[in-house]
Amino acid sequence: MKNIYQWSLVLLFGTMTACDSLLDIDPEYTQDAENFFNTEEDFDRAIIGVYDMMQPAYLNLWIGEIASDNAIAGGESVNDSRGLHEIENMTHGGVNEELRAVMRVNYTGIARANYIFENQDKADFEGKDLILAEAKMMRAYFYFNLVNYFGDMPLIVDRRISINEISSAPRTPKGEVYQQIESDLREAIGVLPWNVDQTGRLTKGAAMALLGKALLYQQKYEEAATVLGELIDTNQAGYALFEDYETLFLVQNEHVAEDVFTIQFSGLQGGDYGCLVCLNGNAAVGFHSIRQYTGPVYADGNSYNLPTGDLYEAFEEGDIRRDASVLDLEAFIASQPNPDEITYAIGGGGHTGYYNNKYIKRLDELGLPDNDLTSPLNYRAIRWADVLLMAAEAFQRSGNDERARTELNKVRSRADMPAITTSDDALYQDILQERRLELSGEGFRFFDLVRTGQASDKISGFIAGQHEVFPIPQVEIDLAGGNWEQNPGY
């Protein structure tokens, strides 16, 4: 059993799927819990339903790269997934399917977690505290996504919300949402174990890493340094950098010591393009892959989320992470013994000559047909290198350059790169640059640029005071009876 998503999932929530409208998660009063939440098995099925809503991680992976200087949208044409092209060009507005999916998916996850808390007193059994802790961490993760995409968002805790309440649910200030995120994570940390028997379950280390990230995003540097420093110094889970960066992102090297917070996928169940958020496979992998490719190592795909030449050139000479992260397709073909027999096509949505080599289809890693949609490649939401770099940033910003260099150079050493010796702002910039290189193609670049105030200098078309957050989907404003104001500039 590869992970918890291969369990049979009973549909506990009526029509509550990621394809439904925001907060319209259940026909009002048709779902009750009188015949559910009575046994340990019921609670375990319910928590798997919450885990399930983390699987649309491809949205973060796409938007976090395409909105930045790291990638372009690509694809078949500019009309194919138009929303991604609008995000690339910073012309996105209130009508955008990808952004609407972000909102629906995360609120559906929150609603599923809240449903558990609403019924938490119906049964007692050993291990219920762990289920509640898992639900708290995932609720924090969903709210963290929402505030970073949209800013102020309605904060709904421990209960479902009726569709008739939408118009009276105001957008909660971002700071208050972050308070709930921190509270949920601190409570989860107090309960979750360092290690788990079942692959895919959340851990204390994952919750600590996410808390450190939430604090860093709020510029609470000293608090972030404390949490991340404790995680690094205690490290009872045995986290470590995987020795070979060049093979880190292969399926065979999943569930290694570098994995801190990983979203699991399975290649054993298919789906269709009508509901990408409903898949059990990692949709990003097929979409990133080489259009109509015929040749060794790789498999054909849809040529989305294509790295830019700017990213490729940002790597220092000799940095092994460049080719491990960014596939220069023509150079790869030229290095093969039969280059004339290798063919591929260029999509009309843009072409850079580069592909995301971390999340890409390989011939020996294919899931069941349609293998564009059934990749078993897990998504690393936070890995140990990210923890070290977040800690380096938090320590530097709170005045401890020595500790910052220590954590930074652990990451550089794994890549066989020389140690950084700078201090003050030069060190800070080195840390941010290292984040771009180490984590390229993983969906963090846009949010890093925004939170550090560098987006307007790095992203073409970025308007300060507007593009730090994305627009609230207009259809959701309409569903809220016009009670929600659109974000400035949209």
Side-chain angles (χ1 to χ4, degrees):
M1 184 179 297
K2 178 176 183 287
N3 56 57
I4 64 175
Y5 299 118
Q6 289 175 238
W7 289 19
S8 297
L9 176 59
V10 176
L11 296 180
L12 307 174
F13 306 100
T15 62
M16 190 182 74
T17 71
C19 298
D20 295 328
S21 296
L22 167 64
L23 301 182
D24 186 8
I25 59 174
D26 213 3
E28 188 175 12
Y29 307 126
T30 64
Q31 174 66 58
D32 62 59
E34 290 182 3
N35 60 350
F36 203 75
F37 289 109
N38 295 318
T39 67
E40 178 179 355
E41 183 182 12
D42 290 345
F43 276 85
D44 212 33
R45 288 176 174 174
I47 198 64
I48 292 172
V50 187
Y51 272 99
D52 190 53
M53 295 318 301
M54 292 198 295
Q55 288 191 284
Y58 69 89
L59 292 165
N60 288 348
L61 186 53
W62 287 350
I63 296 171
E65 296 296 307
I66 291 169
S68 77
D69 52 351
N70 271 5
I72 67 169
E76 182 178 352
S77 72
V78 295
N79 293 316
D80 186 30
S81 295
R82 177 185 291 273
L84 293 177
H85 288 274
E86 292 171 349
I87 289 170
E88 173 197 339
N89 295 318
M90 291 287 126
T91 59
H92 47 275
V95 180
N96 186 293
E97 286 302 311
E98 284 71 29
L99 295 176
R100 189 183 182 207
V102 169
M103 186 170 289
R104 287 180 293 168
V105 162
N106 285 286
Y107 265 120
T108 300
I110 290 165
R112 292 187 178 189
N114 284 347
Y115 196 34
I116 294 175
F117 291 115
E118 186 178 320
N119 293 281
Q120 63 182 306
D121 295 328
K122 287 197 63 181
D124 286 314
F125 53 88
E126 185 178 355
K128 187 176 78 170
D129 59 334
L130 292 176
I131 288 176
L132 297 178
E134 290 174 298
K136 284 181 183 293
M137 178 177 168
M138 284 187 279
R139 183 168 65 186
Y141 171 74
F142 296 133
Y143 270 124
F144 180 78
N145 286 334
L146 287 169
V147 296
N148 280 293
Y149 272 91
F150 304 112
D152 302 344
M153 291 303 297
L155 178 63
I156 305 160
V157 179
D158 293 352
R159 66 181 181 86
R160 291 170 295 165
I161 184 169
S162 162
I163 191 171
N164 288 340
E165 294 180 77
I166 295 176
S167 61
S168 60
R171 293 177 67 185
T172 305
K174 181 177 179 178
E176 293 182 27
V177 180
Y178 263 120
Q179 288 178 15
Q180 183 63 45
I181 291 169
E182 291 182 37
S183 175
D184 275 349
L185 289 172
R186 292 186 190 279
E187 291 182 26
I189 289 167
V191 176
L192 292 173
W194 283 105
N195 297 290
V196 292
D197 294 330
Q198 187 181 27
T199 301
R201 292 284 189 177
L202 296 173
T203 64
K204 185 188 301 288
M208 291 180 72
L210 185 57
L211 176 58
K213 186 172 186 176
L215 293 167
L216 189 68
Y217 271 52
Q218 298 174 80
Q219 299 183 357
K220 295 181 177 180
Y221 297 119
E222 291 187 2
E223 293 181 60
T226 297
V227 171
L228 295 168
E230 180 183 352
L231 175 57
I232 293 167
D233 295 338
T234 306
N235 195 11
Q236 294 185 38
Y239 298 121
L241 296 174
F242 186 71
E243 184 176 350
D244 184 8
Y245 189 94
E246 293 177 290
T247 63
L248 174 60
F249 284 85
L250 300 181
V251 169
Q252 69 188 43
N253 289 327
E254 292 179 338
H255 311 132
V256 295
E258 183 147 353
D259 293 336
V260 178
F261 175 19
T262 301
I263 296 173
Q264 307 284 311
F265 290 96
S266 169
L268 300 180
Q269 185 174 348
D272 61 59
Y273 288 91
C275 188
L276 295 182
V277 300
C278 304
L279 303 178
N280 285 328
N282 189 341
V285 175
F287 273 77
H288 291 173
S289 299
I290 309 162
R291 183 171 293 273
Q292 298 178 24
Y293 175 82
T294 302
V297 181
Y298 300 101
D300 73 291
N302 299 308
S303 65
Y304 279 81
N305 195 9
L306 302 175
T308 61
D310 182 74
L311 171 60
Y312 188 81
E313 296 298 328
F315 287 90
E316 300 171 64
E317 188 68 29
D319 192 334
I320 60 173
R321 296 173 297 186
R322 186 192 68 180
D323 293 340
S325 304
V326 182
L327 170 64
D328 181 340
L329 183 57
E330 286 297 329
F332 169 79
I333 292 174
S335 70
Q336 302 305 305
N338 58 338
D340 293 340
E341 300 176 16
I342 301 173
T343 60
Y344 70 97
I346 295 174
H351 180 67
T352 64
Y354 302 110
Y355 295 81
N356 187 329
N357 211 16
K358 291 178 176 176
Y359 293 98
I360 193 170
K361 282 168 63 177
R362 292 177 167 84
L363 291 172
D364 59 352
E365 296 181 348
L366 301 181
L368 295 177
D370 176 350
N371 58 48
D372 273 352
L373 304 178
T374 57
S375 171
L377 189 62
N378 293 339
Y379 175 64
R380 289 174 162 113
I382 302 178
R383 55 188 176 89
W384 192 239
D386 193 0
V387 170
L388 297 177
L389 291 175
M390 287 193 292
E393 182 180 347
F395 280 116
Q396 197 288 318
R397 292 283 87 182
S398 55
N400 190 341
D401 281 5
E402 181 177 0
R403 180 68 187 268
R405 284 190 295 268
T406 296
E407 306 309 333
L408 168 63
N409 286 326
K410 289 176 184 177
V411 176
R412 288 183 61 81
S413 177
R414 193 260 300 269
D416 295 326
M417 298 305 294
I420 293 293
T421 61
T422 54
S423 300
D424 302 323
D425 188 64
L427 175 58
Y428 177 56
Q429 298 304 324
D430 286 336
I431 293 168
L432 298 184
Q433 178 68 358
E434 197 69 19
R435 285 191 62 80
R436 185 187 191 191
L437 303 178
E438 174 69 26
L439 304 172
S440 65
E442 300 181 40
F444 310 124
R445 176 64 172 170
F446 173 77
F447 302 102
D448 277 349
L449 290 175
V450 167
R451 68 180 180 79
T452 59
Q454 298 185 339
S456 59
D457 294 330
K458 302 288 187 180
I459 301 173
S460 178
F462 186 96
I463 300 173
Q466 175 182 345
H467 289 136
E468 288 83 359
V469 291
F470 293 97
I472 302 294
Q474 185 59 46
V475 65
E476 312 302 356
I477 293 177
D478 296 340
L479 285 170
N483 190 52
W484 299 350
E485 291 186 4
Q486 183 57 275
N487 283 328
Y490 294 108

